[in-house]
Amino acid sequence: MIDRAGLADFLRRRRDLLRPADVGLPDGVRRRAPGLRRDEVAALAGMSSDYYARLEQCRGANPSEPIVAALARALRCDLDERDHLFRMAGLAPPARRAGRHVRPGLISLAGRLTDVPVCICTDLHEVLWQNALADIVLGRHDDHAGRVPIAWRWFTEPAVRGRFPEEDWPRHSRAHVNDLRATYSRRAGEADIVELVHGLLKRSAEFRGLWERHEVAVRRFDRKRFLHPEVGVLHLTCEVLLTPEEDLTMLAFFPTEGTDAQEKLDLLRVIGSQRFQTTA
């Protein structure tokens, strides 16, 4: 339900906080108040001054999603303010998107986890960042490979599966498809995921068969076995840490209890450090 009084108050206060220079406008003639004028906000949002004035006066028609989105942009709202504006207009806020931007604080946090493999991915599992131990265990990606969704590589590049025991492949295939189905539903027709799914339907019979089952399951936790040429089988537990934007995740691979994974990870850290020193 729309909160007309709250919406009007928020619009007025945001308008009062902005200066013409904040939105690329000249100061112009002397102003009676320091903030933007109503007609300036209306012009920035692409609506009539009369329509905008009615919103600030707690009257008029209920604003639509495009109108509220335009007001949020015009008033330079951050994501929290934008979501608040949508809720006061009686609308559900749009899904948050981080895109490919990784906040420095998230990288700083991940960088402190030096004793386990850690990577940061999009919701299509495009690798944006990973630590040195992840390079050793998961494989180092060049810029191109890291930006290719893991589901695409899993179903179109057979060599990718070589890091996992063959008997585990069916389970991984199903998990990739079920997780992708959840993202496909949540993001409702967005171009990048539609292109990915349609491309896989054309390229992979295995993917088509699994997709037609219409099974859905978001991966928040998993136990995996990795094959490493120097230490053999690594039993790791993957914890998926979600960010508020929902399209960015941090994956941390911890040693599975009751296995020798910790000792093997410690050895790989030493091997990796020695290689780095030799290269340097």
Side-chain angles (χ1 to χ4, degrees):
M1 182 179 295
I2 187 171
D3 177 2
R4 290 192 179 277
L7 177 62
D9 183 65
F10 183 77
L11 291 175
R12 286 192 299 268
R13 292 180 184 277
R14 283 298 305 166
R15 177 167 63 84
D16 289 344
L17 287 173
L18 291 172
R19 301 295 180 268
D22 296 333
V23 296
L25 295 175
D27 286 334
V29 298
R30 193 172 70 174
R31 296 167 179 267
R32 290 180 296 176
L36 297 180
R37 295 190 297 263
R38 284 177 178 172
D39 63 304
E40 290 172 331
V41 174
L44 289 168
M47 64 187 64
S48 72
S49 298
D50 183 60
Y51 182 89
Y52 179 77
R54 289 198 301 271
L55 290 177
E56 283 201 4
Q57 294 164 357
C58 302
R59 57 192 183 91
N62 291 359
S64 64
E65 289 186 18
I67 287 291
V68 177
L71 286 170
R73 290 192 297 270
L75 294 169
R76 301 301 191 263
C77 294
D78 63 22
L79 287 178
D80 292 332
E81 291 163 339
R82 181 206 66 178
D83 290 355
H84 181 60
L85 187 59
F86 267 82
R87 292 188 182 101
M88 285 188 299
L91 300 167
R96 295 193 175 201
R97 293 281 180 264
R100 297 179 184 277
H101 173 69
V102 183
R103 290 179 287 110
L106 186 60
I107 294 179
S108 180
L109 172 63
R112 285 169 167 74
L113 300 175
T114 58
D115 58 342
V116 296
V118 177
C119 61
I120 298 173
C121 304
T122 68
D123 56 356
L124 298 185
H125 293 275
E126 302 157 302
V127 178
L128 303 178
W129 180 93
Q130 63 185 28
N131 65 4
L133 196 51
D135 284 344
I136 297 171
V137 174
L138 310 178
R140 191 166 190 170
H141 301 292
D142 58 30
D143 286 343
H144 170 71
R147 298 299 187 268
V148 177
I150 185 60
W152 179 268
R153 302 188 67 204
W154 181 264
F155 289 103
T156 66
E157 301 176 20
V160 171
R161 303 191 180 200
R163 290 186 174 273
F164 303 89
E166 187 171 356
E167 58 269 28
D168 294 351
W169 292 358
R171 184 176 69 83
H172 288 307
S173 294
R174 187 174 177 180
H176 284 310
V177 174
N178 293 356
D179 184 76
L180 185 59
R181 171 71 78 171
T183 305
Y184 185 85
S185 174
R186 177 172 59 83
R187 290 181 47 187
E190 294 183 20
D192 57 346
I193 192 167
V194 169
E195 182 181 358
L196 172 61
V197 170
H198 288 187
L200 285 169
L201 288 171
K202 292 178 181 178
R203 288 283 298 271
S204 171
E206 180 188 11
F207 180 86
R208 283 197 302 274
L210 291 169
W211 188 259
E212 288 168 0
R213 293 183 184 182
H214 208 130
E215 296 175 347
V216 57
V218 178
R219 276 187 293 187
R220 298 182 177 88
F221 168 89
D222 201 359
R223 295 189 187 277
K224 296 175 179 283
R225 295 191 301 166
F226 293 88
L227 297 179
H228 194 278
E230 297 185 63
V231 297
V233 180
L234 267 170
H235 295 259
L236 300 177
T237 298
C238 177
E239 291 287 349
V240 181
L241 309 176
L242 300 177
T243 64
E245 292 81 12
E246 294 189 50
D247 63 332
L248 208 62
T249 59
M250 184 169 78
L251 312 182
F253 297 85
F254 297 97
T256 300
E257 301 86 348
T259 72
D260 59 355
Q262 183 63 69
E263 292 79 6
K264 290 180 176 178
L265 285 178
D266 291 341
L267 176 59
L268 288 174
R269 287 173 63 201
V270 172
I271 293 173
S273 176
Q274 289 174 344
R275 284 178 179 168
F276 177 78
Q277 291 171 0
T278 302
T279 303

